[in-house]
């Protein structure tokens, strides 16, 4: 006796089977992702905070303030002066309750290859604590020396000159590259990137000094 012949699966049956398999896969995958997130998100968040603090401490010595800097933050809904029309973050450094510095996010929108993101420390008396470029797309080997990690001159990186700027001796109007009549040096053949950074730093410093009292007073101090 011959074995009974199984009916060929219909297109609808195949579609339903495939759909059920995909649903089961999605449920399992989502569960795994949720478990991974729960297990790692606190560690990741802590790492992000530590990296942020490490970067800030490069431009503002930790001994110069005694507050929990990352908790003493001010979120601005808009800060076009900082190149951030959709909002910016400012951290306020204090010592014994007194203002020490404003640490600000800022963007130079006119880099050679697009926007240049920075973090800038402006001391309470108007001097610059320092500047760090945190994201850019400038030409490798040409304009990327604005980033100290890519600057070949490790002993005297280009960005370090901002940490010596003092409006009492060098007016903010001169915080621009020498080619434009200012006091900021640059390297031959690569003017656009340092010009963008210098101009953005000058705008940020002017904004910080004009609004210093309001920025330190705004919001509750943690």
């Amino acid at each position: 006796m011959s074995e009974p012949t199984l009916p060929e699966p219909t297109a609808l049956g195949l579609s339903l089977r495939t759909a059920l398999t995909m649903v089961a896969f999605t449920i399992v995958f989502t569960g795994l992702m949720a478990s991974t997130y729960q297990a790692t998100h606190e560690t990741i968040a802590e790492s992000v905070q530590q990296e942020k603090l490490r970067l800030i401490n490069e431009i503002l010595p930790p001994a110069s303030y005694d507050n929990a800097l990352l908790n003493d933050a001010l979120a601005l809904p808009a800060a076009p002066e900082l190149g951030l029309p959709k909002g910016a973050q400012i951290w306020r450094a204090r010592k014994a309750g007194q203002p020490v510095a404003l640490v600000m996010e800022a963007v130079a929108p006119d880099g050679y290859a697009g926007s240049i993101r920075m973090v800038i420390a402006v001391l309470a008396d108007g001097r610059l604590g320092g500047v760090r470029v945190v994201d850019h797309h400038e030409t490798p080997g040409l304009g990327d020396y604005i980033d100290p990690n890519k600057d070949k001159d490790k002993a005297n990186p280009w960005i370090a000159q901002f940490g010596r700027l003092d409006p009492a001796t060098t007016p903010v109007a001169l915080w621009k590259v020498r080619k434009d009549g200012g006091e900021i040096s640059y390297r031959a053949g690569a003017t656009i990137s340092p010009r963008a950074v210098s101009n953005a730093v000058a705008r940020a410093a002017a904004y910080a000094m004009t609004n210093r009292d309001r920025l330190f007073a705004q919001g509750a101090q943690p």
Side-chain angles (χ1 to χ4, degrees):
M1 179 182 295
S2 60
E3 295 183 1
T5 302
L6 297 175
E8 291 290 330
T10 64
L12 177 59
L14 286 172
S15 297
L16 287 173
R17 187 181 305 168
T18 301
L20 289 172
T21 300
M22 291 300 295
V23 168
F25 175 79
T26 301
I27 291 172
V28 171
F29 181 75
T30 301
L32 288 172
M33 288 296 291
S35 298
T36 301
Y37 173 78
Q38 290 296 328
T40 63
H41 79 281
E42 289 186 2
T43 301
I44 293 172
E46 178 65 21
S47 296
V48 169
Q49 291 293 83
Q50 290 300 318
E51 175 61 21
K52 188 179 294 182
L53 188 59
R54 183 197 65 78
L55 184 65
I56 290 173
N57 287 341
E58 287 186 11
I59 58 176
L60 188 67
S64 66
Y65 62 91
D66 60 9
N67 64 321
L69 181 61
L70 296 184
N71 294 332
D72 197 344
L74 182 63
L76 302 179
E81 298 91 340
L82 303 178
L84 294 163
K86 295 184 179 180
Q89 188 88 351
I90 292 181
W91 297 274
R92 299 170 292 190
R94 310 174 196 260
K95 192 159 190 176
Q98 297 303 307
V100 170
L102 294 169
V103 181
M104 305 173 292
E105 298 175 325
V107 171
D110 49 353
Y112 183 79
S115 296
I116 301 170
R117 301 188 70 88
M118 297 169 283
V119 60
I120 302 168
V122 181
L123 306 184
D125 61 6
R127 290 177 296 136
L128 276 188
V131 178
R132 285 293 181 275
V133 170
V134 297
D135 184 59
H136 70 91
H137 303 283
E138 302 305 276
T139 306
L142 187 61
D144 64 348
Y145 66 85
I146 59 175
D147 181 348
N149 293 321
K150 298 179 180 179
D151 193 335
K152 294 179 181 178
D153 187 351
K154 300 302 181 184
N156 187 30
W158 177 83
I159 202 77
Q161 64 188 304
F162 289 99
R164 299 188 290 267
L165 289 178
D166 182 345
T169 56
T170 306
V172 176
L174 295 179
W175 294 11
K176 53 188 177 183
V177 295
R178 289 173 182 165
K179 189 173 184 178
D180 297 336
E183 295 293 330
I184 304 299
S185 67
Y186 62 94
R187 294 177 189 167
T191 311
I192 295 176
S193 304
R195 174 185 286 131
V197 171
S198 300
N199 292 343
V201 170
R203 289 192 297 268
Y207 172 80
M209 289 308 298
T210 300
N211 298 279
R212 185 194 68 174
D213 294 341
R214 176 180 65 82
L215 292 173
F216 271 109
Q218 190 171 340
Q221 180 178 340

